[in-house]
Amino acid sequence: MTDLKLGVYRYEHTEPLFDRRVAIDATLDTSPLISDVFHRMAKGELDIAEYGLTYFLRTFDLDDSPFLALPIFPNRNFRHSSLFVNVDSGIEKPADLVGKTVGEFALYGSDPGVWVKGVLADEYGVTPDQLDWVIGGTDHPIPSFDWIPQPVPDGVRVRHTEGDQTLAAMLESGEIDALLSVDVPQSLLDGSTKKIRRLFVDYAAVERDYYRRTGIFPMMHVVAIRRELVEVPGLVESVYQAFCQAKEIVQEHYRANAAKQHMAVITPWFSELFAENRALLGEDWWPYGLDANRKAVDTFLRYHYEQGLSKRLLTSEDIFVPGLASS
């Protein structure tokens, strides 16, 4: 098929697609803001694209979702690290969030937001209706996304920031008590604030413990394809294999360079971190395919439904193109 348009962020594990170490029969498109890729897919400007998992799932409340997913997960991250609190808020542990006002980056029910709210409910008994929510940009104002469905369940209080308000400034001032954000507040990064810290101070240890107990490495995005293209002979398989090959090139580079203590990497002590991660996550620490990801996917689908973001409890069979179980 000619003139296929594929949108994806330029991660290190997709770079081999862009530099053509891995051939793919498509015109590649990207953007510094991955939400711009989502928007272009929603507008019909792309044929295949990386898509935020919640953005993708909300289309299934339409009469006929225009998309199916390939079990390719370009973006995933443990998200305990995404919770920030004002040091004067009295929040020392998750249970202290009850009755507080929490900012959420970009969207009520953002991809990290779904994960964090699900974990708070499952592991700490804190549910979204026990908090007040303010949606906006972390360090820069952003408007409400008006190009996707915005369900908010009964009993949950949500408002958007106004004017030039930012969630980081509101957290700094105490106007909100906590923040759920994929972006780290700039003042915390540069050390200029004494008012903001993470809820889980030793978040890496908490996240590693979470993985040991659950086996879940949370995904944020999938690769979506327009339904009519699924029937094109060989297309789904070729796209899937191209993403798998690109990822494997990068993973093998890290494996091979362990013997040289990753001397080409600019980060000191990276080899020790790599060895620790490899021991915990295994040889394929960023798996594609449904088999290796079914538990995490099913957990996200359950959270999405429980949080009122899906009208029905979806299954993996509802959303994925069949036949791509393993990488």
Side-chain angles (χ1 to χ4, degrees), residues 177-196:
D177 304 295
L179 170 62
L180 199 175
S181 174
V182 64
D183 291 345
V184 179
Q186 183 59 43
S187 60
L188 186 62
L189 285 176
D190 63 26
S192 63
T193 182
K194 295 182 179 179
K195 291 294 185 179
I196 299 173

Side-chain angles (χ1 to χ4, degrees), residues 23-311:
I24 189 165
D25 188 17
T27 300
L28 296 184
D29 192 284
T30 192
S31 172
L33 291 177
I34 189 58
S35 58
D36 289 345
V37 174
F38 305 166
H39 193 187
R40 292 192 62 203
M41 187 64 164
K43 291 190 295 183
E45 296 176 1
L46 298 170
D47 302 300
I48 303 172
E50 177 180 358
Y51 215 4
L53 193 48
T54 186
Y55 298 75
F56 170 79
L57 293 176
R58 291 169 196 229
T59 68
F60 281 77
D61 281 349
L62 305 174
D63 290 338
D64 187 15
S65 170
F67 311 121
L68 286 173
L70 307 181
I72 301 165
F73 307 99
N75 182 306
R76 60 200 313 162
N77 210 312
F78 294 98
R79 287 305 185 193
H80 293 74
S81 53
S82 298
L83 270 173
F84 307 89
V85 299
N86 181 291
V87 298
D88 298 324
S89 65
I91 301 171
E92 300 294 332
K93 58 187 183 300
D96 298 332
L97 289 165
V98 174
K100 302 295 187 179
T101 300
V102 181
E104 182 171 357
F105 176 76
L107 181 72
Y108 180 75
S110 61
D111 296 311
V114 173
W115 278 112
V116 171
K117 290 169 192 167
V119 169
L120 287 174
D122 273 1
E123 304 210 335
Y124 303 100
V126 177
T127 55
D129 60 302
Q130 296 175 307
L131 308 120
D132 291 307
W133 297 93
V134 181
I135 311 303
T138 299
D139 283 300
H140 304 281
I142 59 172
S144 178
F145 293 163
D146 59 3
W147 44 271
I148 60 167
Q150 299 265 0
V152 175
D154 293 340
V156 177
R157 298 167 298 280
V158 180
R159 64 180 176 88
H160 202 281
T161 54
E162 299 177 353
D164 61 356
Q165 286 182 316
T166 67
L167 297 174
M170 295 172 75
L171 184 62
E172 179 86 21
S173 69
E175 188 174 350
I176 60 176
D177 304 295
L179 170 62
L180 199 175
S181 174
V182 64
D183 291 345
V184 179
Q186 183 59 43
S187 60
L188 186 62
L189 285 176
D190 63 26
S192 63
T193 182
K194 295 182 179 179
K195 291 294 185 179
I196 299 173
R197 64 167 175 81
R198 282 187 166 90
L199 173 58
F200 297 99
V201 177
D202 191 4
Y203 63 86
V206 174
E207 291 169 348
R208 287 178 185 278
D209 175 69
Y210 171 79
Y211 181 80
R212 289 188 189 98
R213 291 186 291 104
T214 67
I216 293 174
F217 187 173
M219 64 281 293
M220 305 297 132
H221 304 165
V222 294
V223 171
I225 183 170
R226 299 200 170 277
R227 282 182 185 263
E228 63 269 22
L229 296 176
V230 171
E231 303 305 322
V232 176
L235 176 60
V236 164
E237 292 79 8
S238 66
V239 171
Y240 179 68
Q241 288 304 321
F243 273 89
C244 288
Q245 290 167 22
K247 176 178 71 78
E248 177 57 24
I249 285 172
V250 175
Q251 287 183 303
E252 181 54 32
H253 173 77
Y254 282 112
R255 295 187 200 104
N257 280 274
K260 298 291 186 182
Q261 299 187 72
H262 298 97
M263 63 183 179
V265 177
I266 199 170
T267 304
W269 305 295
F270 176 82
S271 281
E272 181 61 29
L273 174 62
F274 177 73
E276 185 178 3
N277 287 347
R278 194 176 184 181
L280 177 63
L281 301 171
E283 287 301 301
D284 184 5
W285 58 90
W286 196 284
Y288 294 162
L290 188 53
D291 287 348
N293 292 283
R294 185 179 291 275
K295 182 178 181 181
V297 168
D298 286 348
T299 299
F300 190 93
L301 294 176
R302 174 170 64 85
Y303 288 165
H304 209 256
Y305 174 70
E306 289 175 348
Q307 292 168 30
L309 302 173
S310 292
K311 292 180 180 177

